[in-house]
Amino acid sequence: MEQLSDQRRMIRLEETDSTNRYLKQLVREEHPEEGSLVIADYQTGGRGQIGNSWRSARGENLLFSLVIYPRQLPANESFILSRITSLALKNMLDQFAIDIRIKWPNDIYWKDKKIAGILIENDIQGKEIDNSVIGIGINVNQQIFPLDLPNPVSLCQITGTLHDREYLLDLFLREFFLLYRDLQDDQKTAIEDEYMLDLYRVNDFYWFEDQNGRFKAKIEAVLSSGHLVLRTLDSNEERIYAFKEVSFVD
Ligand code: BTN
């Protein structure tokens, strides 16, 4: 992480509503250095994708947000930030468990269960991204989850042992900033290729569901916009979906 400034802020909170919200406000008010972090033991209003909440037991997991100021990244290519964040999480978790995959667009799965989630909030200026607040929740040591969560799992449940959250955070940051440097060095294709290889349910036909019903298809590509390209089994037709227009059928 040699390119990171010593001036970056690291804010540790026992409790906040949402580390993303907290950091976004700090970015607006103080423009902290790239790589600045807010980490909390507990969130009273943890936010997930598409208006969902992110619930996490107090003191057991990793809940943090990180700010970056990507240079000249067009707003319509912001999905590359989801790719590097999910790859960094996968690379970090691979050091403890096998079968970690990225479920399109950016959920982190172990087998068929979700171990981590990402919420990226970009601030666009003109056609480019001015700052990006990358929020991450990783289930680390939690062993009992609310019954209404669909399919959670923690690293502790996978490995059978408790994990040091600080150490995991360090490993994540290392992986993230390696990939971020690749991005700044214009290695987008390599990042896209790696993301493709690490996708959940890639390379075979699986059941999906869209507004017209269920169908079997194979993942063909993920576009730079983040859209998912599927090839249907029955009609050999290409279908392109935005997030939430299609879901995986279990
Ligand atoms: C999802 O899978 O729905 C995304 C979950 C993202 C949760 C993290 S926890 C830290 C950060 N602060 C938030 O309010 N949300 C993200």
Side-chain angles (χ1 to χ4, degrees):
M1 288 186 272
E2 66 280 0
Q3 81 275 36
L4 279 177
S5 145
D6 290 345
Q7 305 298 311
R8 69 203 173 102
R9 306 267 304 271
M10 171 86 142
I11 298 173
R12 293 174 183 282
L13 305 168
E14 266 180 29
E15 183 174 312
T16 184
D17 50 355
S18 151
T19 57
N20 264 38
R21 195 214 51 78
Y22 190 105
L23 184 54
K24 276 165 49 140
Q25 185 174 341
L26 193 75
V27 168
R28 276 195 302 274
E29 291 172 354
E30 299 180 25
H31 198 81
E33 286 287 310
E34 180 156 88
S36 291
L37 271 176
V38 176
I39 173 162
D41 262 344
Y42 187 68
Q43 296 183 133
T44 52
R47 287 151 42 174
Q49 291 164 14
I50 47 147
N52 287 334
S53 62
W54 183 261
R55 285 176 290 156
S56 172
R58 188 180 293 272
E60 297 193 341
N61 300 317
L62 266 170
L63 305 166
F64 62 96
S65 303
L66 164 73
V67 64
I68 54 171
Y69 303 97
R71 274 180 279 120
Q72 295 167 359
L73 182 60
N76 61 8
E77 290 178 26
S78 67
F79 188 70
I80 195 85
L81 300 176
S82 286
R83 296 195 211 245
I84 64 169
T85 308
S86 36
L87 282 169
L89 278 169
K90 177 184 156 53
N91 292 346
M92 181 271 269
L93 292 167
D94 277 347
Q95 300 176 42
F96 304 91
I98 54 168
D99 283 330
I100 301 287
R101 310 214 54 101
I102 301 164
K103 185 174 173 191
W104 175 83
N106 60 9
D107 282 341
I108 308 302
Y109 265 52
W110 172 75
K111 299 185 190 279
D112 291 312
K113 292 169 182 260
K114 181 162 169 173
I115 182 168
I118 300 169
L119 176 65
I120 300 184
E121 297 185 86
N122 296 315
D123 194 355
I124 314 289
Q125 297 291 333
K127 290 189 165 169
E128 290 182 355
I129 296 173
D130 173 74
N131 67 75
S132 180
V133 167
I134 299 177
I136 295 174
I138 310 173
N139 298 329
V140 179
N141 291 323
Q142 189 165 344
Q143 293 180 62
I144 300 169
F145 288 93
L147 291 174
D148 57 326
L149 287 186
N151 50 358
V153 71
S154 69
L155 191 56
C156 173
Q157 288 176 318
I158 299 169
T159 62
T161 166
L162 294 172
H163 291 267
D164 182 325
R165 292 179 293 156
E166 287 301 314
Y167 178 62
L168 295 178
L169 176 63
D170 261 20
L171 288 180
F172 168 78
L173 292 173
R174 202 171 295 272
E175 296 294 341
F176 179 86
F177 282 103
L178 284 172
L179 286 154
Y180 185 51
R181 191 177 55 193
D182 290 346
L183 172 62
Q184 304 285 36
D185 291 347
D186 223 9
Q187 302 290 313
K188 281 189 192 153
T189 312
I191 294 167
E192 286 166 1
D193 291 349
E194 198 183 331
Y195 174 90
M196 233 11 234
L197 285 176
D198 291 341
L199 273 185
Y200 173 79
R201 295 195 178 167
V202 76
N203 288 333
D204 208 345
F205 287 91
Y206 291 93
W207 286 100
F208 290 86
E209 184 164 17
D210 67 9
Q211 58 175 4
N212 299 314
R214 293 183 171 199
F215 58 97
K216 245 184 166 179
K218 187 173 181 171
I219 296 178
E220 234 176 34
V222 177
L223 305 179
S224 56
S225 57
H227 286 77
L228 181 70
V229 184
L230 296 179
R231 172 76 53 187
T232 61
L233 180 61
D234 283 354
S235 48
N236 193 31
E237 162 200 350
E238 185 180 89
R239 295 186 187 168
I240 301 183
Y241 294 98
F243 183 40
K244 286 296 149 191
E245 288 176 352
V246 68
S247 55
F248 292 78
V249 175
D250 291 327

